[in-house]
Amino acid sequence: MSQGKMIGNVNLLDLRKATAESVANIRGIGNVNVVLYTPETAGLLTRLSIGNMNASVELTSDVKADLVLGQTIYKKENFDRVEAPSFAIMVGQAIVDPDVTVEMVLNRFAGIAVVGQLVVPDNLVGAFQSKIRFMPGQIKSYPVLHQTRIGDVELSERWLKSLEDGAEMSILGDLAAPKVIPNDLLERKIKRLFVLGGINCHEENADAIQNRLAQGSGALNVIPSGFEVVDKPLTLDAMLLEALPVRKLLCKEMVHIGADVTAGMLDERLDALHSEELILCPSSLRGVLLKKCDPLKDQLVFFEGLLC
């Protein structure tokens, strides 16, 4: 039986001060995101049994290594407190504030390994690229507009009214407009918009939003006119069908049509139904449901009797 300690998954394996004796009792290591080593310790890599390794970086032992996990926001004050350059291993999402300067970047980092996502202002792309030693992840940039918002934003009438007219904004997250918004309000409040992530809006607002999007924004996903988006699993029984406030549903999760729903009720109360997941329906309603769905895109499953 093999002797020694087995280590699980590791984000950062720092071998810069390791010795043959210090690793002799290690039988193996699962998966490693980044390994740091010096010319003197490079030979230890062949002695260790590592499952998978994303990156190995040669770095002198006197440089501090910073492991960045989760979402980290680099603000101007983070750079002011730096005593000496350090090597950053960015495993999660690192976002750089628009107030950061080129000089701060050059003085702050001895090097960078991007395993996750690095989001930087357009004017800092060159400075960060000069510091990147390894990048299995990605770097994305955003324009520095009058306002920058970090995180997802819900585009609503209330939110729009809180803005000054002619706002220019970079949103470092997703943008969702779950309800139709008056286009005159949207056009008056927003002059230019950059969205790092995805954009979801109704067809009625798609042109107004598209016309204000800055280059490099995320993809625009349009909800067809008249549809209501349902984000959770939906059991569409007779009682709910009678109470529906809308006649067109676009569902993100599975839909189960109840056995108490009749063909006449389904035909009368529902004009259209689409889902990104399965639609489970009694076989007796097949003829009606096929007229409400797109059989080439929707995943329809018909059943007899009752589902357990």
Side-chain angles (χ1 to χ4, degrees):
M1 182 176 177
S2 299
Q3 299 296 315
K5 180 170 61 174
M6 186 67 190
I7 299 175
N9 298 331
V10 178
N11 277 313
L12 174 62
L13 179 62
D14 192 344
L15 296 176
R16 293 178 296 165
K17 296 183 180 180
T19 63
E21 292 75 18
S22 66
V23 301
N25 196 41
I26 299 176
R27 178 159 52 95
I29 301 175
N31 301 308
V32 179
N33 262 327
V34 180
V35 176
L36 299 180
Y37 66 93
T38 64
E40 294 75 23
T41 63
L44 298 179
L45 287 172
T46 59
R47 296 192 183 189
L48 293 170
S49 176
I50 299 176
N52 293 297
M53 180 171 59
N54 278 330
S56 59
V57 179
E58 182 179 312
L59 187 68
T60 58
S61 59
D62 60 321
V63 176
K64 179 185 176 184
D66 291 330
L67 181 62
V68 182
L69 296 171
Q71 186 186 73
T72 300
I73 301 171
Y74 284 100
K75 295 181 178 292
K76 182 179 179 180
E77 50 266 32
N78 299 127
F79 292 81
D80 293 337
R81 296 193 296 264
V82 174
E83 295 180 359
S86 63
F87 190 93
I89 300 98
M90 300 175 179
V91 178
Q93 184 190 53
I95 298 175
V96 180
D97 195 80
D99 291 335
V100 174
T101 66
V102 170
E103 291 74 23
M104 291 177 182
V105 175
L106 298 178
N107 294 330
R108 166 68 171 80
F109 297 106
I112 299 173
V114 182
V115 182
Q117 183 186 68
L118 173 61
V119 180
V120 304
D122 286 341
N123 62 305
L124 297 184
V125 172
F128 273 97
Q129 287 180 334
S130 72
K131 294 293 183 178
I132 292 175
R133 299 274 296 278
F134 187 80
M135 191 173 69
Q138 61 180 187
I139 181 170
K140 289 193 172 185
S141 66
Y142 65 92
V144 178
L145 302 180
H146 182 65
Q147 298 180 58
T148 298
R149 301 218 175 190
I150 297 175
D152 299 338
V153 171
E154 181 176 308
L155 183 58
S156 63
E157 284 192 55
R158 181 177 180 180
W159 182 75
L160 281 174
K161 290 175 180 178
S162 70
L163 303 177
E164 294 183 359
D165 289 356
E168 296 190 356
M169 181 183 302
S170 285
I171 296 174
L172 307 186
D174 295 331
L175 177 68
K179 302 291 183 182
V180 177
I181 299 165
N183 280 322
D184 58 344
L185 176 65
L186 196 156
E187 292 166 352
R188 176 165 54 87
K189 288 294 183 177
I190 295 181
K191 180 180 180 181
R192 190 179 179 207
L193 188 65
F194 173 85
V195 182
L196 179 70
I199 307 160
N200 286 281
C201 71
H202 285 266
E203 185 177 353
E204 292 87 339
N205 298 130
D207 286 343
I209 293 175
Q210 182 70 62
N211 291 338
R212 280 152 180 76
L213 286 180
Q215 185 176 2
S217 290
L220 180 64
N221 178 47
V222 179
I223 302 165
S225 179
F227 276 81
E228 181 78 12
V229 177
V230 181
D231 292 318
K232 60 184 180 181
L234 179 65
T235 298
L236 202 56
D237 56 20
M239 183 177 295
L240 180 58
L241 194 59
E242 289 286 354
L244 277 180
V246 294
R247 299 178 63 88
K248 296 180 179 181
L249 299 178
L250 183 61
C251 301
K252 299 294 185 180
E253 299 193 35
M254 188 173 67
V255 178
H256 176 200
I257 300 177
D260 60 344
V261 175
T262 66
M265 186 185 301
L266 186 63
D267 192 38
E268 179 184 345
R269 299 296 302 172
L270 202 63
D271 289 339
L273 175 65
H274 300 295
S275 177
E276 296 179 5
E277 301 292 339
L278 293 178
I279 300 177
L280 307 178
C281 178
S283 297
S284 59
L285 303 178
R286 177 193 294 266
V288 178
L289 186 64
L290 288 175
K291 298 176 183 178
K292 312 293 182 180
C293 298
D294 185 342
L296 298 179
K297 295 181 180 179
D298 293 311
Q299 303 175 67
L300 308 177
V301 176
F302 297 97
F303 62 90
E304 299 284 351
L306 298 175
L307 287 180
C308 297

